[in-house]
């Protein structure tokens, strides 16, 4: 039988930034495979490069060395069209800093992936309604996103990442602004969705308690991944 390609693969990826005039290698040599439906935990100290790694996977920044593959096909960055397409259709990114359009409504923010895609069906709107209710923001539908609390913004960012049924969720500390109960509710939402429509996830977090949900957990340290 032919071996199935992983959903995502990184091969010897490196990325550096100029920080205070000095070039610092944030990601030195990262190789990683994520299979369809697999949940992977990513931990590491503040500043170790977790957000950089997720941004690289989403095609928002380019690697200096190494290669990124989607379903075995190398990701090329010419004109950014292909990464942008992948991001819209197959990746749900829950950004650490939410990246909401602050002067648009909760509902408009939620529909953003559908608007970028350019067309949608009534069932997509139904799903958006359902997600809005599941994250407890139905009564805030017309509220400007910029007026939400930190935890509400985080829940909206989570719903928005799920609206197009992505095959990979990049979750950058998605529970950081939530209390214990709400975090559990959001985890329940992800777990129940996973049963109906399996999606892979890279979950950045700092809570040991969350490792039990992940098949593998990596620590990012000095630019390299170490399996926990
Ligand atoms: N575009 C950029 N230009 C210059 N430096 C950057 C850029 N993006 C990130 N960095 C630097 O790279 C390092 C890693 O940042 P990153 O945001 O990936 O860390 P992190 O592991 O996500 O940290 P945290 O847990 O605090 O969110 C930091 O020192 C940061 O200042
Ligand atoms: Mg970060």
């Amino acid at each position: 039988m032919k071996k199935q390609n992983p959903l995502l693969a990184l091969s010897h990826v490196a990325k550096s930034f100029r920080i205070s005039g000095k070039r610092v290698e944030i990601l030195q040599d990262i190789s990683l495979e994520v299979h369809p439906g697999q949940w992977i935990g990513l931990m590491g100290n503040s500043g170790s490069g977790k957000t950089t790694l997720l941004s690289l996977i989403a095609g928002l920044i380019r690697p200096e060395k190494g290669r990124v593959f989607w379903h075995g096909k190398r990701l090329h960055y010419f004109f950014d069209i292909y990464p942008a397409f992948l991001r819209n259709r197959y990746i749900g990114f829950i950004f650490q800093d939410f990246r909401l359009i602050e002067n648009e409504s909760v509902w408009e923010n939620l529909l953003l992936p559908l608007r970028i895609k350019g067309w949608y069906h009534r069932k997509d709107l139904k799903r958006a309604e359902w997600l809005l209710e599941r994250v407890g923001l139905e009564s805030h539908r017309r509220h400007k996103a910029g007026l939400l609390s930190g935890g509400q913004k985080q829940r909206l960012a989570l719903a928005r990442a799920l609206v197009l049924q992505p095959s990979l969720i990049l979750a950058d500390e998605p529970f950081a602004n939530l209390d214990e109960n709400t975090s559990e509710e959001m985890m329940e939402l992800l777990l129940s969705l996973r049963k109906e429509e399996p999606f892979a996830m890279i979950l950045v977090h700092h809570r040991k308690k969350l490792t039990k949900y992940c098949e593998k957990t990596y620590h990012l340290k000095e630019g390299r991944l170490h399996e926990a």
Side-chain angles (χ1 to χ4, degrees), residues 51 96 172-173:
T51 298
Q96 191 171 14
D172 202 351
E173 304 195 34

Side-chain angles (χ1 to χ4, degrees), residues 121-134:
H121 296 299
R122 192 197 291 268
K123 72 172 176 29
D124 298 315
L125 294 177
K126 275 207 161 139
R127 180 183 172 81
E129 294 272 4
W130 179 79
L131 282 166
L132 194 64
E133 193 191 314
R134 284 298 301 265

Side-chain angles (χ1 to χ4, degrees), residues 17-19 26 45-52 96 173 206:
F17 290 119
R18 186 166 287 282
I19 301 174
I26 300 297
N45 290 344
S46 178
S48 58
K50 303 179 297 298
T51 298
T52 304
Q96 191 171 14
E173 304 195 34
H206 294 285

